[in-house]
């Protein structure tokens, strides 16, 4: 493999819950403090801080103050959704590589269930009939779940993907969540439980959809040299890529009007860049942590990242290939479907835990190479992480 | 119960489109340079990046690209209307547009099915573009 862009030296979590009873600021600070403690770094060692939000979080300067960081040399707050986590890793690596920063925190913190409900309960900007939303919302197409269901149907029509295939993703991830003490949903679920769950927006049932939850998650990125002096085994960022496309003056809706083919997402475009930069292929990847706001984004990711041929994601998922004992263990923590919805930051955190060998009873043996993604549709990012 | 419709927040780019629906003759911009239609309305062509374009009346005919059946209304003011079908239609002109699919059931629908536009006068200010199966 080629050179290392940066290293993840620390991971921090809060408890994930449906009602934190706390401020988003306290969640963000706790997650960041956790990442610093995990790495063994003090406030004077950290001089960069980045986050993303959709108007539901706390700004970096507040969190930097809460952590008593004495000197912040680079900070920004990105108004955006699930496409951001891997892109923030990439940005943090650039800040470290350029010499601007010694170590950079990235975080996502939200009261996504008890406060601002991105899924629709709270309404808000995402559901206004403005920008490209004006051509959808008046017809009752209001939510991200409806958007993803529209994408998914096209895949079912073209390739014969079945409801049971989607269910296999939800059921597999639940099996993983049962082995994860942080996960919110740990009740066993069968394919029959999935099939008989409420239809929210056909073709999606309740368990095709991610949780809404409260919590915070943070990562600490530094140079490979500095990471070697930290507490934990460094996890190296070997490749990163980011794509932003076809959004039509519309920061809140990945666009379904212009993207040419709703049976594939950004992973199709970034995967070759990731593999080229890391000088590996999909056959070299041990685990995949794929952004899973909905079951269907996992399916597109499996195909886009080259773990199975295009159109075969459904049978591939149903075959057991994505389970802990399968050819490509996927979303080993239960993902956002069953662990918690921390907007994809927790998806990356799991990759770090697995590569360190800290996966507990759900640890994938000899996990040395992970691919991680952030985002659902036309905007997204990804990284290849290694031990 | 009265029907509830969330009205579009019409802007400078979209105003001619919404006006054309109220006149029951949907128009979209066609690029003068490359000849491609575009939707959603925008100051420049998505295909070649050139500004401008002429508003031309479209056929209103197309094929189902994908569809959903909304059971959970998300906005509870729509609770009386569910279930309803929302379709993403690929128009003959090449662009995609959204509308309710009316007069049919979920099990009759397939991708590729021919549909035609139906104008739905919501109130004095708003007309929506819906679709029905065109056989």
């Amino acid at each position: 493999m080629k050179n290392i862009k940066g290293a993840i030296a620390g991971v921090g979590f809060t408890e994930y819950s449906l009602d934190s009873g706390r401020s988003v600021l306290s969640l963000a600070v706790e997650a960041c403090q956790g990442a610093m403690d995990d790495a063994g770094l003090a406030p004077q060692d950290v001089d960069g801080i980045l986050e993303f939000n959709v108007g539901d979080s706390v700004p970096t300067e507040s969190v930097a103050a809460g952590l008593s960081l004495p000197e912040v040399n680079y900070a920004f707050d990105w108004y955006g959704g699930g496409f951001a986590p891997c892109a923030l890793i990439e940005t943090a690596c650039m800040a470290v590589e350029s010499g601007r920063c010694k170590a950079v925190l990235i975080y996502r913190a939200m009261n996504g269930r008890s406060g601002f409900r991105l899924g629709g309960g709270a309404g808000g900007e995402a559901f206004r009939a403005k920008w490209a939303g004006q051509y959808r919302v008046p017809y009752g197409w209001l939510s991200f779940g409806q958007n993803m269901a529209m994408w998914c149907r096209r895949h079912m029509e073209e390739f014969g993907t079945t409801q049971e295939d989607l269910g296999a993703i939800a059921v597999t991830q639940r099996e993983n969540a049962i082995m994860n003490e942080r996960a919110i949903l740990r009740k066993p679920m069968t394919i029959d439980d999935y099939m008989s769950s409420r239809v929210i927006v056909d073709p999606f049932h309740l368990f095709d959809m991610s949780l809404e939850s409260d919590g915070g998650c943070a990562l600490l990125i530094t140079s490979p040299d500095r990471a070697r002096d930290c507490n934990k085994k460094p996890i190296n960022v070997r490749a990163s890529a980011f794509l932003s496309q076809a959004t039509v003056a519309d920061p809140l809706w990945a666009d379904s009007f212009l993207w040419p083919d709703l049976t594939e997402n950004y992973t199709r475009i970034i995967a070759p860049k990731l593999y080229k930069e890391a000088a590996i292929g999909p056959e070299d990847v041990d685990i995949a942590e794929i952004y899973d706001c909905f079951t269907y984004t996992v399916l597109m990711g499996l195909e886009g990242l080259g773990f199975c041929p295009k159109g075969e994601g459904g049978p591939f998922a149903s075959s057991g290939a994505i389970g802990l004992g399968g050819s490509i263990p996927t979303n080993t923590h239960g993902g956002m479907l069953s662990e918690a919805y921390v907007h994809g930051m927790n998806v990356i955190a799991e990759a770090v835990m697995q590569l360190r060998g800290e996966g507990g009873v759900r640890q994938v043996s000899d996990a040395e190479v992970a691919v991680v993604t952030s985002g659902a549709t036309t905007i997204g990012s990804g990284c290849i992480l290694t031990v | 119960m009265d029907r509830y419709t969330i009205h579009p927040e019409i802007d400078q780019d979209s105003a001619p489109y919404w006006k054309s629906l109220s006149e029951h003759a949907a128009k979209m911009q066609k690029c003068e340079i490359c000849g491609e239609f575009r939707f959603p309305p925008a100051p420049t062509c998505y295909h070649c990046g050139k500004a401008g374009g002429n508003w031309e009346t479209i056929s209103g005919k197309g094929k189902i690209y994908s569809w959903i059946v909304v059971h959970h209304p998300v906005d509870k003011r729509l609770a009386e209307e569910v279930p309803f079908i929302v379709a993403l239609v690929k128009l003959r002109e090449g662009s995609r547009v959204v509308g309710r699919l009316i007069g049919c059931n979920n099990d009759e629908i397939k991708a590729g099915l021919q549909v035609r536009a139906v104008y739905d006068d919501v109130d004095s200010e708003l007309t929506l573009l819906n679709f029905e199966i065109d056989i």
Side-chain angles (χ1 to χ4, degrees):
Chain A
M1 289 196 188
K2 291 191 179 164
N3 56 333
I4 300 167
K5 299 164 77 94
I8 300 173
V11 183
F13 314 92
T14 66
E15 180 191 12
Y16 300 146
S17 72
L18 301 180
D19 184 0
S20 71
R22 301 167 53 183
S23 68
V24 177
L25 179 61
S26 82
L27 296 171
V29 170
E30 182 189 325
C32 290
Q33 187 67 58
M36 290 165 60
D37 292 346
D38 189 45
L41 293 185
Q44 63 268 23
D45 301 322
V46 178
D47 58 353
I49 183 164
L50 319 172
E51 65 96 24
F52 71 103
N53 69 83
V54 290
D56 59 349
S57 193
V58 284
T60 49
E61 59 262 40
S62 303
V63 176
L67 295 164
S68 70
L69 302 186
E71 186 174 312
V72 173
N73 294 313
Y74 191 54
F76 72 73
D77 299 89
W78 200 349
Y79 186 86
F83 61 82
C86 285
L88 286 182
I89 290 178
E90 179 173 65
T91 308
C93 286
M94 290 192 281
V96 168
E97 271 183 312
S98 69
R100 171 63 62 90
C101 294
K102 293 180 289 190
V104 179
L105 281 164
I106 66 174
Y107 67 88
R108 177 73 169 113
M110 58 205 291
N111 277 327
R113 181 64 179 77
S114 70
F116 183 103
R117 295 179 64 182
L118 194 54
E125 287 291 305
F127 307 96
R128 282 176 64 176
K130 65 192 253 188
W131 298 319
Q134 70 184 287
Y135 311 109
R136 264 192 298 249
V137 171
Y139 299 94
W141 178 352
L142 304 177
S143 73
F144 294 108
Q146 292 167 347
N147 193 46
M148 226 51 250
M150 188 71 86
W151 282 57
C152 184
R153 172 89 67 191
R154 182 70 197 185
H155 199 282
M156 296 169 102
E157 288 289 290
E158 270 192 45
F159 301 110
T161 304
T162 66
Q163 201 77 55
E164 287 82 357
D165 293 333
L166 299 177
I169 294 168
V171 167
T172 303
Q173 292 193 196
R174 181 63 62 83
E175 288 166 357
N176 298 343
I178 290 166
M179 292 180 272
N180 174 5
E181 67 286 350
R182 277 192 306 278
I184 291 172
L185 292 180
R186 301 182 69 186
K187 187 181 162 200
M189 180 170 74
T190 65
I191 190 74
D192 290 339
D193 295 332
Y194 164 86
M195 292 297 286
S196 59
S197 69
R198 202 151 55 94
V199 178
I200 304 295
V201 49
D202 190 346
F204 280 173
H205 289 230
L206 178 64
F207 295 118
D208 287 298
M209 307 202 153
S210 69
L211 282 154
E212 295 175 288
S213 56
D214 294 1
C217 182
L219 302 170
L220 186 58
I221 288 107
T222 187
S223 67
D225 283 345
R226 284 200 179 85
R228 273 190 282 278
D229 297 328
C230 291
N231 283 347
K232 296 285 178 71
K233 178 163 78 173
I235 300 308
N236 299 314
V237 182
R238 296 283 185 163
S240 61
F242 174 53
L243 180 83
S244 178
Q245 207 155 314
T247 57
V248 200
D250 186 349
L252 288 162
W253 287 90
D255 196 86
S256 301
F257 291 103
L258 299 182
W259 186 256
D261 183 352
L262 301 196
T263 69
E264 61 184 39
N265 68 2
Y266 69 95
T267 57
R268 171 77 57 194
I269 294 172
I270 66 167
K273 301 178 187 181
L274 290 173
Y275 292 132
K276 186 179 178 194
E277 185 174 20
I280 62 167
E283 65 282 1
D284 301 311
V285 177
D286 299 315
I287 56 169
E289 307 295 349
I290 299 174
Y291 189 87
D292 62 324
C293 48
F294 302 95
T295 49
Y296 178 55
T297 62
V298 179
L299 196 153
M300 282 192 286
L302 291 168
E303 295 181 7
L305 295 165
F307 298 120
C308 65
K310 177 160 177 171
E312 295 179 21
F316 185 73
S318 290
S319 74
I322 63 171
L324 287 185
S327 60
I328 182 70
T330 300
N331 294 351
T332 49
H333 53 145
M336 296 193 289
L337 298 178
S338 285
E339 185 194 56
Y341 182 86
V342 197
H343 226 151
M345 199 64 93
N346 54 323
V347 175
I348 300 167
E350 172 67 5
V352 175
M353 302 296 278
Q354 286 281 343
L355 294 176
R356 285 176 174 179
E358 294 180 355
V361 288
R362 66 182 188 282
Q363 178 66 43
V364 175
S365 57
D366 302 321
E368 296 184 339
V369 180
V371 61
V372 295
T373 64
S374 305
T377 57
T378 66
I379 320 180
S381 57
C383 292
I384 290 173
L385 308 178
T386 69
V387 293
Chain B
M1 184 181 156
D2 286 339
R3 174 183 175 189
Y4 176 73
T5 300
I6 302 167
H7 280 228
E9 298 183 33
I10 298 171
D11 55 46
Q12 290 93 332
D13 294 328
S14 69
Y17 173 70
W18 289 110
K19 181 166 179 289
S20 77
L21 294 196
S22 69
E23 293 164 351
H24 290 207
K27 289 185 168 69
M28 289 183 182
Q29 289 154 295
K30 185 180 184 189
C31 180
E32 297 159 57
I33 308 298
C34 74
E36 295 282 348
F37 278 87
R38 68 175 176 265
F39 191 82
T44 55
C45 176
Y46 300 122
H47 304 275
C48 71
K50 294 292 188 299
N54 299 315
W55 287 91
E56 295 195 7
T57 304
I58 59 163
S59 65
K61 302 219 172 196
K63 292 178 178 178
I64 303 255
Y65 181 78
S66 193
W67 78 98
I68 52 175
V69 188
V70 176
H71 289 267
H72 174 65
V74 183
D75 185 326
K76 52 179 175 270
R77 293 170 294 191
L78 297 171
E80 303 278 320
E81 289 191 44
V82 294
F84 56 82
I85 301 169
V86 181
L88 188 58
V89 171
K90 187 169 172 66
L91 293 168
R92 247 181 221 177
E93 287 77 9
S95 39
R96 287 185 201 140
V97 68
V98 171
R100 292 268 183 102
L101 189 60
I102 57 174
C104 66
N105 297 314
N106 187 27
D107 51 13
E108 299 172 59
I109 310 169
K110 280 181 173 9
L113 207 60
Q114 301 267 5
V115 292
R116 64 170 171 252
V118 181
Y119 293 94
D120 175 16
D121 294 316
V122 176
D123 54 38
S124 60
E125 293 174 357
L126 178 65
T127 299
L128 294 177
L129 189 66
N130 289 335
F131 289 90
E132 62 184 13
I133 294 173
D134 184 18
I135 296 172

